[in-house]
Amino acid sequence: DAYADWHVDPDPTKSHWTAVRSELTTKRVLEGLQTRHPVSAYMEDREGLTHIGAIDFDGEDGWETALAVARELVAAGAHPMLERSRRGAPLWLVLDQVLAGSVVRLGLRAFVAKARPGAERNPRVEILPKHLTQRGPDTVGSPLRMPMMSHPTTGERHPLCDATGKPLGATVTEV
């Protein structure tokens, strides 16, 4: 089990996510939702399996690209959730079953390519879980800030939205 906490450095350019090698508890998630102390999640377990996929669209057209991909996912029967961010939008997809991270990556990459040809090769479109070159007890992958958590440097929060961009609720309770 592992998750990531935001490490604040006196020099803001050196602040970063730090792996915490313990169970992510409900208490810690609620703390992250109620304070400016966000938490990020890792997508794969030690065997490379996951039940969550995500795409972080980081760029000026990130929100529009996320909405286009969400429409393609809905057409295929999925239920993606989106969240605006400072420079784009993360898209979250909870899967009906546990799959290999490599399968999830390939599938999400295909949906990005269908919605916006060429975007799947854009380095500012980050598909998670990321490919890990090696596995082991110390390997955790790349974290993504969990939905509705405050941004670690700005403190901004954004509502979780459905595939049309409509907020699912203003608070966690409403979602």
Side-chain angles (χ1 to χ4, degrees), residues 79-154:
H79 303 283
M81 295 170 282
L82 300 91
E83 180 184 25
R84 286 186 183 267
S85 67
R86 288 183 312 141
R87 297 177 305 216
L91 178 150
W92 293 85
L93 185 63
V94 178
L95 307 171
D96 292 336
Q97 58 186 326
V98 175
L99 297 169
S102 58
V103 171
V104 175
R105 275 190 299 283
L106 287 171
L108 291 176
R109 185 175 308 285
F111 278 102
V112 172
K114 185 174 182 184
R116 294 279 164 94
E120 75 279 8
R121 292 185 302 278
N122 182 340
R124 299 192 70 139
V125 175
E126 182 181 9
I127 299 174
L128 294 114
K130 281 190 170 182
H131 173 71
L132 298 177
T133 56
Q134 65 184 55
R135 295 222 177 272
D138 296 327
T139 306
V140 290
S142 297
L144 182 62
R145 185 167 36 98
M146 293 176 70
M148 300 181 74
M149 296 282 170
S150 65
H151 187 276
T153 54
T154 68

Side-chain angles (χ1 to χ4, degrees), residues 18-38:
T18 302
V20 177
R21 297 180 189 285
S22 63
E23 179 183 356
L24 177 57
T25 63
T26 302
K27 179 181 177 183
R28 177 62 187 96
V29 172
L30 290 174
E31 175 191 339
L33 290 167
Q34 296 166 349
T35 68
R36 282 193 60 173
H37 187 189

Side-chain angles (χ1 to χ4, degrees), residues 1-12:
D1 289 323
Y3 62 94
D5 267 336
W6 186 250
H7 170 75
V8 178
D9 191 274
D11 176 353

